[in-house]
Amino acid sequence: MAYAYSFESLSKQFIHKLLVSSKIREIIDEFGPEHTTEEMFSSIWSLDEAHSTLSPVLLPPSKSNEVSYQHSRKGDKAYVFHDLDEALKCYNLAVLSAPHPDIVAGNVQTNDKKVYKALAHAYGSRSLVLFNLKQYEKCLDDIERVLQLDSLQVSTQKFREMKVTCQKMILKDKDKKLDITAESNFKSSELSFAYTNPDPPKLKECNSTVPSLSSAVKLVYTDLQGRHLIADKDINPGEIVSVDDGYCTTVFTEMLKMYCTVCVKRCMAPLPCPTCNMVIFCSEECRTRGLSDVHFQECPIMPTLCALDMGRNPALAYRIMMKTTHAKLKEMIPLLQHDAKNQPPKNLGFNKNRIYDAADYTSVYHLKTNKEKRSSKDLLRRCIQAFIITKLLQLSGRYFISCDGEPFTPSLEDIILTGSTLIHHMMNLICNARAIGFLTVALNNSGQSHETMCGCGVYSASSLMNHSCNANCTAVFYGKTEVVRAIQFIPAGKPLTILYGESFAEEGTFFRRLTLKTQYHFTCTCEACENNWPTCMALSQLILLMCTTCNEAINSFTKICPKCQLKYDQREVPGRQSMTPYNYRLISRKIQRVQEDYLIAKYNIFVKGSNADKDIKVVRTLIKLFCKYVKQPCFLLIDAMHTLCFVFDKRGACVYVNAIEPPCSVS
């Protein structure tokens, strides 16, 4: 049954009450950029209408033997017809729904074993599916759980025999691993484990003041662009410029049953929370971390938070508050507010050691909010969100905690501090929260792919990159870890940019600017917008060499720049310095050769599924050559950048499926 108290329904009731009581105009006047977040939250918290309409009804976390057996029976039917993927999904739900023993110090407590018969049954059924899917290590783990619960006395011998078989198969290295070059390993109905969760690469050399960034990147400030990143030296295509685990992450509601709530890695044989059926853990390590940290704090309100359907940022804001703790916020917020008023903008976000640490709340708090550009209506909505989350923090019983670890009743001062801080994050997350995605690829056609979002997080280091509709960097996710790479040649001194919205290759200037203005409150002035570059579909495939002095296209017949009058056909004379930056004919021949090599590399990547370094090197070579010598926009450069993004996406978290419609737009 649908939850009657969704965010939208609660908001409508609140606004209706204000209209009936003729307070709406008065309230709206109290919401605006000129008011502080404390003033706005105090205003709404003081209203009886707010407390009577915006107080959510807590849905308790639940487990049920009956529900678990229902999922198991559905799994049994799928198993009989050898639909192993469907059976696995059903048994996973059975595991999540079954009553679970307490977990103390990472160990499952099984004193009254009969109580957990449904859980043991679910694990036992799942182990059979895992055995059939040749996932012997995962099967072995489930068998150990069945034997630990020891409630299937009749079948105990069967599981012991299967355990021995699994151990033998593991020793023979028969455990089925994903091999994307051997698609026949996966039957069309058995793709549950056709995904990758690789470890992220590391930075070769970290920036001394912003550890999440490469030493090749520099944080600078200008009045026009604010804090932003530039290349401190030449950066080549494919080079890693940032590796960031983020301050805080959360999994989207619709993905909670497939992605670990701690590390945001895909998991199709998950471990459950012992209390709720809302989240999964990919390992005992993540479950131990989750139950002592992020999930323990949110578990009592998870069903309510999901049912409220408040959007993606409120859940992330809730985790930020829980991760930071009320005691720490009470200590830090006055200092952070003082810095925001008195420190130059270029100094904000640094800790007391003058380090911009993405794992430090200071860097998260000082991310841009655009409060001064927000309408009264927008600020009221953020305040309503903050009001409801504050109520949930109270209901959880795990946020307002004393130094002794005991819950306490918050004072009005505590409430205002909490609510006003939440408004602050409701604003800065809209501008700075990053969607965590993975690539979905067709096994039989690598050219078919699309990006799917599974969560979001706060990455305060990479958030310093400004937007461009012709971005020179892209982000790849390895679970919750964000790795940012250059996808163009970035000369020293040039800003590092990333997409906040659509690329110029996909959408026209008017739509892009409108979208950015609506969400981020700025008018884009990147080269693509200022010159109204055509989309990829309307772009000529002609390659024009450019003058490196003025960036204008060189006349292909005369080899002369029409603006600078520089002649690019001068032959090099030994012992004499050339008058032009490069020789037109020499570069033309290089471009012709690299085009031929690129077509082969692209075929290998998209048709043969290659992810080899030699093919990637060809793509990077073309991009660098075109960035330095070819007039933009250039169709082939866009195509090569798309190819480079694709190969690096495949090296991150990736999911393989039978087919995807429609195919990707550029290639």
Side-chain angles (χ1 to χ4, degrees):
M1 186 175 70
Y3 184 54
Y5 301 97
S6 69
F7 172 72
E8 292 301 332
S9 66
L10 295 181
S11 298
K12 287 178 181 177
Q13 290 176 43
F14 173 56
I15 298 299
H16 177 71
K17 278 216 169 188
L18 292 180
L19 287 168
V20 170
S21 62
S22 301
K23 291 184 179 179
I24 188 69
R25 187 68 265 167
E26 175 187 342
I27 295 301
I28 289 292
D29 289 342
E30 295 182 23
F31 288 84
E34 70 277 8
H35 295 284
T36 66
T37 53
E38 289 83 3
E39 289 171 343
M40 288 187 284
F41 191 79
S42 297
S43 174
I44 196 171
W45 192 262
S46 66
L47 294 171
D48 292 336
E49 291 87 350
H51 290 277
S52 64
T53 58
L54 298 178
S55 297
V57 176
L58 197 63
L59 299 175
S62 63
K63 299 277 190 178
S64 167
N65 284 316
E66 182 182 352
V67 173
S68 179
Y69 281 124
Q70 286 175 358
H71 289 304
S72 287
R73 285 193 288 272
K74 290 179 181 177
D76 294 342
K77 290 180 181 178
Y79 185 74
V80 167
F81 289 99
H82 205 75
D83 187 350
L84 299 183
D85 282 348
E86 182 61 27
L88 181 63
K89 291 175 185 176
C90 294
Y91 292 141
N92 282 344
L93 291 174
V95 168
L96 298 182
S97 303
H100 196 287
D102 292 335
I103 297 178
V104 179
N107 298 314
V108 176
Q109 306 298 300
T110 55
N111 297 325
D112 187 358
K113 294 169 184 174
K114 291 183 179 179
V115 176
Y116 308 111
K117 187 175 180 180
L119 180 62
H121 180 82
Y123 276 134
S125 298
R126 190 172 76 176
S127 70
L128 293 172
V129 176
L130 294 171
F131 187 85
N132 278 270
L133 290 171
K134 300 181 182 179
Q135 298 289 324
Y136 298 116
E137 288 187 5
K138 295 179 177 66
C139 177
L140 189 60
D141 290 340
D142 272 6
I143 292 171
E144 293 287 1
R145 294 172 188 125
V146 172
L147 297 176
Q148 183 182 18
L149 293 165
D150 197 27
S151 58
L152 299 178
Q153 297 178 2
V154 177
S155 305
T156 297
Q157 185 57 36
K158 177 183 71 174
F159 285 110
R160 293 191 189 280
E161 291 171 358
M162 195 159 66
K163 176 180 177 180
V164 172
T165 304
C166 285
Q167 290 170 332
K168 289 180 180 178
M169 299 304 284
I170 292 169
L171 284 173
K172 292 179 181 180
D173 198 27
K174 296 294 184 181
D175 206 37
K176 190 170 183 180
K177 301 292 192 298
L178 174 65
D179 180 4
I180 60 174
T181 63
E183 295 150 2
S184 59
N185 284 351
F186 288 91
K187 298 178 182 178
S188 61
S189 61
E190 298 174 10
L191 289 171
S192 287
F193 294 95
Y195 60 83
T196 56
N197 283 324
D199 292 329
K202 298 183 183 299
L203 287 170
K204 291 182 179 179
E205 187 176 344
C206 296
N207 186 290
S208 59
T209 56
V210 191
S212 297
L213 301 180
S214 159
S215 59
V217 180
K218 184 178 181 180
L219 172 58
V220 296
Y221 176 85
T222 64
D223 291 336
L224 183 62
Q225 295 180 299
R227 293 176 301 174
H228 61 285
L229 306 179
I230 65 169
D232 204 26
K233 59 183 180 181
D234 289 353
I235 297 175
N236 288 312
E239 193 172 329
I240 297 173
V241 297
S242 172
V243 178
D244 191 350
D245 286 336
Y247 182 77
C248 199
T249 58
T250 188
V251 178
F252 294 153
T253 301
E254 63 272 21
M255 297 290 190
L256 283 172
K257 301 295 194 292
M258 290 185 288
Y259 287 83
C260 177
T261 196
V262 174
C263 67
V264 199
K265 288 187 176 180
R266 191 175 180 89
C267 178
M268 293 305 291
L271 292 174
C273 168
T275 306
C276 78
N277 62 354
M278 300 299 297
V279 304
I280 66 167
F281 303 98
C282 67
S283 63
E284 295 286 1
E285 180 185 359
C286 275
R287 183 158 72 173
T288 299
R289 286 177 57 196
L291 296 181
S292 62
D293 189 11
V294 289
H295 182 62
F296 169 78
Q297 296 168 318
E298 73 188 3
C299 188
I301 59 90
M302 273 294 289
T304 310
L305 184 60
C306 291
L308 280 164
D309 193 20
M310 298 176 69
R312 292 167 172 178
N313 288 332
L316 185 57
Y318 187 96
R319 279 203 168 183
I320 289 173
M321 301 296 284
M322 283 294 195
K323 177 181 174 68
T324 313
T325 75
H326 175 68
K328 190 173 181 180
L329 282 174
K330 197 169 184 177
E331 174 188 340
M332 292 184 69
I333 292 298
L335 300 174
L336 295 173
Q337 289 177 336
H338 177 271
D339 287 346
K341 291 178 181 177
N342 299 287
Q343 288 287 338
K346 64 180 180 180
N347 293 339
L348 296 178
F350 291 85
N351 62 23
K352 60 183 179 181
N353 297 320
R354 304 305 304 151
I355 300 295
Y356 191 94
D357 185 357
D360 189 318
Y361 178 72
T362 301
S363 67
V364 176
Y365 181 86
H366 285 302
L367 291 173
K368 197 168 182 61
T369 65
N370 288 315
K371 175 174 174 277
E372 70 282 357
K373 300 176 182 178
R374 297 187 180 278
S375 66
S376 296
K377 183 180 178 181
D378 179 84
L379 291 169
L380 176 59
R381 183 177 178 83
R382 307 305 154 205
C383 198
I384 292 173
Q385 291 175 329
F387 184 100
I388 294 174
I389 297 173
T390 301
K391 287 284 187 179
L392 291 176
L393 289 167
Q394 285 183 289
L395 290 169
S396 74
R398 296 177 180 179
Y399 178 68
F400 293 106
I401 302 294
S402 68
C403 297
D404 305 335
E406 295 295 323
F408 69 88
T409 302
S411 65
L412 180 60
E413 180 185 357
D414 293 325
I415 293 292
I416 300 303
L417 172 72
T418 301
S420 60
T421 304
L422 278 165
I423 295 174
H424 180 87
H425 288 306
M426 289 298 99
M427 293 186 292
N428 74 2
L429 288 178
I430 294 171
C431 306
N432 296 283
R434 302 293 294 276
I436 299 172
F438 60 90
L439 192 69
T440 301
V441 185
L443 271 171
N444 296 314
N445 186 349
S446 292
Q448 291 186 356
S449 67
H450 67 74
E451 191 173 18
T452 306
M453 302 304 168
C454 63
C456 61
V458 186
Y459 299 88
S460 55
S462 60
S463 288
L464 295 169
M465 281 191 286
N466 282 341
H467 163 83
S468 170
C469 299
N470 181 36
N472 55 30
C473 293
T474 189
V476 178
F477 283 91
Y478 296 72
K480 71 174 186 177
T481 304
E482 180 195 51
V483 176
V484 180
R485 291 180 183 266
I487 53 172
Q488 295 182 20
F489 171 69
I490 311 173
K494 186 174 180 180
L496 275 65
T497 57
I498 202 161
L499 282 174
Y500 290 5
E502 298 290 343
S503 162
F504 83 89
E506 299 166 332
E507 286 290 350
T509 304
F510 176 80
F511 178 83
R512 297 197 314 271
R513 279 183 161 173
L514 179 63
T515 303
L516 293 167
K517 187 72 172 177
T518 301
Q519 181 168 350
Y520 298 99
H521 304 279
F522 70 87
T523 299
C524 185
T525 57
C526 73
E527 187 179 13
C529 285
E530 289 292 273
N531 295 296
N532 197 24
W533 283 1
T535 62
C536 196
M537 297 297 290
L539 194 60
S540 168
Q541 298 197 28
L542 186 65
I543 297 172
L544 300 172
L545 270 61
M546 70 174 178
C547 172
T548 54
T549 302
C550 67
N551 294 335
E552 288 298 320
I554 299 168
N555 188 302
S556 58
F557 295 102
T558 65
K559 313 298 186 292
I560 298 174
C561 172
K563 185 175 181 179
C564 300
Q565 294 300 307
L566 285 174
K567 297 181 179 180
Y568 280 82
D569 65 342
Q570 293 182 355
R571 300 184 182 278
E572 294 184 8
V573 178
R576 185 185 299 176
Q577 186 175 357
S578 174
M579 296 295 292
T580 52
Y582 65 86
N583 183 281
Y584 189 100
R585 290 181 174 81
L586 177 63
I587 296 301
S588 293
R589 287 196 294 270
K590 284 185 178 181
I591 286 176
Q592 182 62 39
R593 286 197 299 270
V594 80
Q595 277 184 263
E596 295 168 358
D597 293 341
Y598 171 69
L599 292 176
I600 297 171
K602 181 182 175 182
Y603 178 84
N604 292 338
I605 290 166
F606 284 108
V607 178
K608 293 186 175 181
S610 169
N611 209 19
D613 287 337
K614 65 179 182 64
D615 290 319
I616 296 175
K617 184 179 179 181
V618 170
V619 180
R620 294 169 68 176
T621 300
L622 182 141
I623 291 173
K624 184 174 182 178
L625 194 64
F626 274 50
C627 284
K628 293 179 74 172
Y629 299 110
V630 174
K631 175 71 176 173
Q632 293 196 46
C634 172
F635 180 89
L636 193 59
L637 177 57
I638 297 168
D639 191 73
M641 287 163 56
H642 168 80
T643 302
L644 190 62
C645 288
F646 176 77
V647 293
F648 284 128
D649 281 343
K650 280 183 71 178
R651 291 188 171 187
C654 206
V655 176
Y656 293 85
V657 296
N658 283 318
I660 295 171
E661 294 294 342
C664 53
S665 59
V666 176
S667 296

